[in-house]
Amino acid sequence: MKKLLQCLAVTFTLFVGGAYAAGPTEVVYHIDDAESQGIKGLRNIRNHLDVSPKTKVIVVTHANGVDIMMEGAKDHKNGIEYAPLVGALKSRGVRFEVCEITLKNRNLKKDQFILDTDFTPSGVVRVADLQYQNHFAYIKP
């Protein structure tokens, strides 16, 4: 009986462990400040996909992080426009989400954002749900 229980435990462990390893890695990148995280985060994502192209990536932005998704927005340090970098990543399957609470708090409108933008009711709730419910890895550049 003891051997049977040990065998069942090993089988269950292998089955559950294999279920997580079977699909591609899923990652949420959390950006809440465009100035300190914008270019660095977008480059991190590009590098991530260069090494692991099947990774599912969702970028969640809120607070000042939503600025990377605004029409015509640029990195102030080096003048690099965010939109072409976002578009290149979007073409590789990356999803970009902007917090609607931030829109309300900053009096922003959805039409101020580039076409590659998706919206979520709350950026913080979205990050938490992706981590807890969907088992996404968390990266804050």
Side-chain angles (χ1 to χ4, degrees):
M1 180 66 162
K2 188 175 180 180
K3 291 265 190 206
L4 176 63
L5 289 175
Q6 286 174 334
C7 184
L8 287 173
V10 168
T11 302
F12 178 76
T13 301
L14 290 173
F15 176 77
V16 171
Y20 282 109
T25 302
E26 298 175 320
V27 180
V28 57
Y29 277 79
H30 176 198
I31 297 179
D32 62 4
D33 182 46
E35 281 301 303
S36 65
Q37 298 170 282
I39 293 297
K40 175 175 61 170
L42 296 172
R43 286 179 177 159
N44 286 170
I45 297 163
R46 181 197 62 210
N47 293 342
H48 192 140
L49 292 173
D50 285 349
V51 173
S52 183
K54 292 184 181 181
T55 302
K56 179 178 181 181
V57 177
I58 298 176
V59 179
V60 178
T61 66
H62 67 94
N64 292 333
V66 305
D67 294 357
I68 70 167
M69 300 304 294
M70 296 187 76
E71 193 69 51
K74 294 181 181 182
D75 179 76
H76 292 297
K77 285 184 200 172
N78 53 33
I80 295 174
E81 193 172 340
Y82 295 118
L85 301 174
V86 169
L89 293 171
K90 183 81 173 184
S91 72
R92 296 177 77 179
V94 177
R95 181 177 171 94
F96 290 86
E97 300 182 6
V98 166
C99 172
E100 291 176 339
I101 292 173
T102 297
L103 296 184
K104 181 181 173 192
N105 290 343
R106 292 183 54 191
N107 198 27
L108 299 170
K109 305 292 181 225
K110 289 183 178 180
D111 64 2
Q112 292 177 267
F113 293 86
I114 60 177
L115 294 177
D116 293 322
T117 305
D118 292 303
F119 296 90
T120 187
S122 168
V124 172
V125 170
R126 181 68 168 143
V127 168
D129 287 349
L130 287 169
Q131 285 183 272
Y132 184 74
Q133 294 175 1
N134 302 96
H135 309 289
F136 273 56
Y138 173 83
I139 297 177
K140 186 168 184 174

mmCIF file of all heavy atoms in Angstrom, residues 1-16:
data_model
loop_
_atom_site.group_PDB
_atom_site.id
_atom_site.type_symbol
_atom_site.label_atom_id
_atom_site.label_comp_id
_atom_site.label_asym_id
_atom_site.label_seq_id
_atom_site.Cartn_x
_atom_site.Cartn_y
_atom_site.Cartn_z
ATOM 1 N N MET A 1 0.832 -1.192 0.000
ATOM 2 C CA MET A 1 0.000 0.000 0.000
ATOM 3 C C MET A 1 0.877 1.257 0.000
ATOM 4 O O MET A 1 0.583 2.216 -0.703
ATOM 5 C CB MET A 1 -0.919 -0.053 1.241
ATOM 6 C CG MET A 1 -1.823 1.122 1.356
ATOM 7 S SD MET A 1 -3.008 1.118 -0.002
ATOM 8 C CE MET A 1 -4.212 2.191 0.597
ATOM 9 N N LYS A 2 1.956 1.221 0.801
ATOM 10 C CA LYS A 2 2.854 2.360 0.877
ATOM 11 C C LYS A 2 3.503 2.631 -0.484
ATOM 12 O O LYS A 2 3.617 3.770 -0.911
ATOM 13 C CB LYS A 2 3.918 2.111 1.948
ATOM 14 C CG LYS A 2 4.768 3.305 2.242
ATOM 15 C CD LYS A 2 5.706 3.017 3.390
ATOM 16 C CE LYS A 2 6.558 4.237 3.692
ATOM 17 N NZ LYS A 2 7.464 4.002 4.794
ATOM 18 N N LYS A 3 3.903 1.573 -1.176
ATOM 19 C CA LYS A 3 4.506 1.698 -2.511
ATOM 20 C C LYS A 3 3.492 2.289 -3.504
ATOM 21 O O LYS A 3 3.844 3.121 -4.335
ATOM 22 C CB LYS A 3 4.985 0.337 -3.024
ATOM 23 C CG LYS A 3 6.151 -0.209 -2.274
ATOM 24 C CD LYS A 3 7.394 0.171 -3.006
ATOM 25 C CE LYS A 3 8.551 -0.592 -2.386
ATOM 26 N NZ LYS A 3 9.780 0.089 -2.566
ATOM 27 N N LEU A 4 2.248 1.867 -3.403
ATOM 28 C CA LEU A 4 1.210 2.368 -4.289
ATOM 29 C C LEU A 4 1.006 3.864 -4.078
ATOM 30 O O LEU A 4 0.907 4.639 -5.034
ATOM 31 C CB LEU A 4 -0.102 1.608 -4.061
ATOM 32 C CG LEU A 4 -1.307 2.103 -4.882
ATOM 33 C CD1 LEU A 4 -1.055 1.926 -6.371
ATOM 34 C CD2 LEU A 4 -2.564 1.382 -4.462
ATOM 35 N N LEU A 5 0.966 4.306 -2.827
ATOM 36 C CA LEU A 5 0.801 5.725 -2.523
ATOM 37 C C LEU A 5 1.989 6.539 -3.027
ATOM 38 O O LEU A 5 1.817 7.636 -3.572
ATOM 39 C CB LEU A 5 0.603 5.940 -1.019
ATOM 40 C CG LEU A 5 -0.744 5.474 -0.463
ATOM 41 C CD1 LEU A 5 -0.778 5.624 1.056
ATOM 42 C CD2 LEU A 5 -1.890 6.248 -1.097
ATOM 43 N N GLN A 6 3.194 6.009 -2.868
ATOM 44 C CA GLN A 6 4.382 6.696 -3.368
ATOM 45 C C GLN A 6 4.326 6.809 -4.894
ATOM 46 O O GLN A 6 4.653 7.846 -5.467
ATOM 47 C CB GLN A 6 5.649 5.960 -2.937
ATOM 48 C CG GLN A 6 5.977 6.128 -1.476
ATOM 49 C CD GLN A 6 7.171 5.264 -1.064
ATOM 50 O OE1 GLN A 6 7.446 4.231 -1.668
ATOM 51 N NE2 GLN A 6 7.855 5.712 -0.027
ATOM 52 N N CYS A 7 3.924 5.748 -5.555
ATOM 53 C CA CYS A 7 3.819 5.750 -7.010
ATOM 54 C C CYS A 7 2.774 6.765 -7.472
ATOM 55 O O CYS A 7 2.995 7.515 -8.430
ATOM 56 C CB CYS A 7 3.459 4.347 -7.496
ATOM 57 S SG CYS A 7 3.420 4.213 -9.300
ATOM 58 N N LEU A 8 1.636 6.821 -6.803
ATOM 59 C CA LEU A 8 0.599 7.792 -7.140
ATOM 60 C C LEU A 8 1.084 9.225 -6.918
ATOM 61 O O LEU A 8 0.808 10.115 -7.721
ATOM 62 C CB LEU A 8 -0.668 7.536 -6.327
ATOM 63 C CG LEU A 8 -1.477 6.301 -6.736
ATOM 64 C CD1 LEU A 8 -2.610 6.049 -5.743
ATOM 65 C CD2 LEU A 8 -2.021 6.451 -8.143
ATOM 66 N N ALA A 9 1.816 9.447 -5.844
ATOM 67 C CA ALA A 9 2.338 10.779 -5.553
ATOM 68 C C ALA A 9 3.319 11.230 -6.631
ATOM 69 O O ALA A 9 3.279 12.372 -7.091
ATOM 70 C CB ALA A 9 3.011 10.806 -4.183
ATOM 71 N N VAL A 10 4.206 10.342 -7.053
ATOM 72 C CA VAL A 10 5.172 10.663 -8.105
ATOM 73 C C VAL A 10 4.439 10.930 -9.422
ATOM 74 O O VAL A 10 4.736 11.908 -10.126
ATOM 75 C CB VAL A 10 6.209 9.530 -8.262
ATOM 76 C CG1 VAL A 10 7.029 9.719 -9.528
ATOM 77 C CG2 VAL A 10 7.104 9.462 -7.047
ATOM 78 N N THR A 11 3.457 10.103 -9.764
ATOM 79 C CA THR A 11 2.690 10.295 -10.990
ATOM 80 C C THR A 11 1.968 11.634 -10.968
ATOM 81 O O THR A 11 1.987 12.385 -11.947
ATOM 82 C CB THR A 11 1.679 9.148 -11.181
ATOM 83 O OG1 THR A 11 2.392 7.913 -11.204
ATOM 84 C CG2 THR A 11 0.879 9.315 -12.457
ATOM 85 N N PHE A 12 1.342 11.976 -9.847
ATOM 86 C CA PHE A 12 0.631 13.251 -9.722
ATOM 87 C C PHE A 12 1.590 14.419 -9.873
ATOM 88 O O PHE A 12 1.308 15.386 -10.588
ATOM 89 C CB PHE A 12 -0.079 13.321 -8.361
ATOM 90 C CG PHE A 12 -0.781 14.613 -8.132
ATOM 91 C CD1 PHE A 12 -1.995 14.882 -8.761
ATOM 92 C CD2 PHE A 12 -0.240 15.588 -7.310
ATOM 93 C CE1 PHE A 12 -2.648 16.086 -8.564
ATOM 94 C CE2 PHE A 12 -0.882 16.788 -7.112
ATOM 95 C CZ PHE A 12 -2.091 17.049 -7.738
ATOM 96 N N THR A 13 2.747 14.343 -9.235
ATOM 97 C CA THR A 13 3.747 15.410 -9.331
ATOM 98 C C THR A 13 4.210 15.596 -10.767
ATOM 99 O O THR A 13 4.326 16.724 -11.251
ATOM 100 C CB THR A 13 4.957 15.097 -8.426
ATOM 101 O OG1 THR A 13 4.488 14.959 -7.078
ATOM 102 C CG2 THR A 13 5.995 16.198 -8.488
ATOM 103 N N LEU A 14 4.473 14.509 -11.455
ATOM 104 C CA LEU A 14 4.903 14.596 -12.849
ATOM 105 C C LEU A 14 3.798 15.171 -13.733
ATOM 106 O O LEU A 14 4.052 15.989 -14.621
ATOM 107 C CB LEU A 14 5.326 13.223 -13.368
ATOM 108 C CG LEU A 14 6.618 12.659 -12.790
ATOM 109 C CD1 LEU A 14 6.826 11.222 -13.258
ATOM 110 C CD2 LEU A 14 7.799 13.522 -13.184
ATOM 111 N N PHE A 15 2.558 14.772 -13.480
ATOM 112 C CA PHE A 15 1.439 15.274 -14.269
ATOM 113 C C PHE A 15 1.250 16.769 -14.050
ATOM 114 O O PHE A 15 1.139 17.536 -14.992
ATOM 115 C CB PHE A 15 0.161 14.511 -13.911
ATOM 116 C CG PHE A 15 -1.052 15.038 -14.617
ATOM 117 C CD1 PHE A 15 -1.276 14.733 -15.952
ATOM 118 C CD2 PHE A 15 -1.957 15.861 -13.961
ATOM 119 C CE1 PHE A 15 -2.382 15.228 -16.621
ATOM 120 C CE2 PHE A 15 -3.057 16.356 -14.621
ATOM 121 C CZ PHE A 15 -3.285 16.039 -15.946
ATOM 122 N N VAL A 16 1.221 17.224 -12.817
ATOM 123 C CA VAL A 16 1.016 18.645 -12.515
ATOM 124 C C VAL A 16 2.209 19.466 -12.993
ATOM 125 O O VAL A 16 2.043 20.515 -13.606
ATOM 126 C CB VAL A 16 0.773 18.857 -11.000
ATOM 127 C CG1 VAL A 16 0.784 20.333 -10.649
ATOM 128 C CG2 VAL A 16 -0.556 18.237 -10.608
#
